[in-house]
Amino acid sequence: MKLIKVGFTIVILVLTTLWGVGAVYFGDSDTGVVQLWISAMFGLLGLAALICLGLPRWRKRLLLGHSMAFIIILAWWLGISPSNQRNWQMDAGKLAYASFVGDTVTVHNIRNFDYRSEFDFQPAYYSKTFDLNKFQGIDLFSVYWMGPAIAHTILSFDFGGNDHLAVSIEARKEQGEGYSTIKGFFRQYELIYFVADERDVIRLRTNYRKDPPEQVYRYRLQGSMENGRRLFLEYMRKINELNEQPAFYNTLLDNCTTAIWLRTLSNQGHLPFSWKILLSGYLPEYLYQSQRLDTRMPFQELQRQARINSQAQAADQSPDFSMRIRESNQ
């Protein structure tokens, strides 16, 4: 029993020390000298508490000191507030929003950039009205660039013909800011729902991202139209909410895939949480196993047919891009 207690204390000490060091080091913005020193001192305090676990004379004092310092850091960190008023990168400069009249939803600031390369583009936005009575389903796009375990997930809502509205949930970055998985744990990025034309958000990944190249797969989700419409409306409510109350992106808890699962909680019969949602590259397999994809063929064959890079590269700037990437690649 004593060994279990010591082991538990060691785990808690290591986790709180690592988290506290990261929270202070990254802070509310750029890392400064003061933050660097405070994070280093907290790390040393945690190390000292760990070393002195076997010294009864010092153990209680150091554990108490570490706990008090951690509580102060946590209270300060929880006081960091998200904002919509920052010097955003050009691609994240505008937030989408929606207005509702009866069975129609008008979506504003739909992104539709004209790309010459990944970072060379002409910004463009438009508004469009969608009739909920014409809703036909949802496609899931899985984007891979670093092996099978991790993928970026995008949902696209189908209103018939070439009317598809894609939503990509991402970290909203400031000018000169890159993405870091570690920083994403520490309130460094605001959350953004990129509401975009598929010629923008899908074509960017299939045609223009080269370092590394990205492989894009499209899967048609199986489910009731009512649940699909409800999920679409939940998305629209969320993008309106983010206009009024910005929120932080979180690498683990509120990212491109976990946020989708959270939105689906509005539907009865939603999928239970799974580790395959955290390791998002396996999400299509989880959906297949849960009868939410076409199961008339083995998953490996469905996945092979789902890859759309060649269709997207052939369609490129075509106005019927959405229809052409849905052409069979058999």
Side-chain angles (χ1 to χ4, degrees), residues 45-63:
L45 178 60
L47 180 61
L50 194 62
I51 292 172
C52 292
L53 283 177
L55 303 175
R57 179 180 177 185
W58 293 98
R59 181 174 59 233
K60 289 186 177 180
R61 296 178 185 179
L62 286 169
L63 286 177

Side-chain angles (χ1 to χ4, degrees), residues 22-29 31 35 76-77 80 186-188:
V24 175
Y25 177 79
F26 291 115
D28 191 14
S29 188
T31 302
Q35 292 169 239
W76 164 78
W77 185 79
I80 299 174
F186 295 104
R187 297 192 164 193
Q188 291 297 293

Side-chain angles (χ1 to χ4, degrees), residues 207-232:
N207 295 27
Y208 294 102
R209 286 194 174 163
K210 309 293 185 183
D211 187 22
E214 299 185 356
Q215 306 303 316
V216 182
Y217 297 79
R218 181 190 67 85
Y219 301 93
R220 187 67 165 191
L221 297 180
Q222 307 293 307
S224 73
M225 291 299 103
E226 183 58 34
N227 280 350
R229 280 188 287 267
R230 189 178 294 113
L231 181 58
F232 172 73

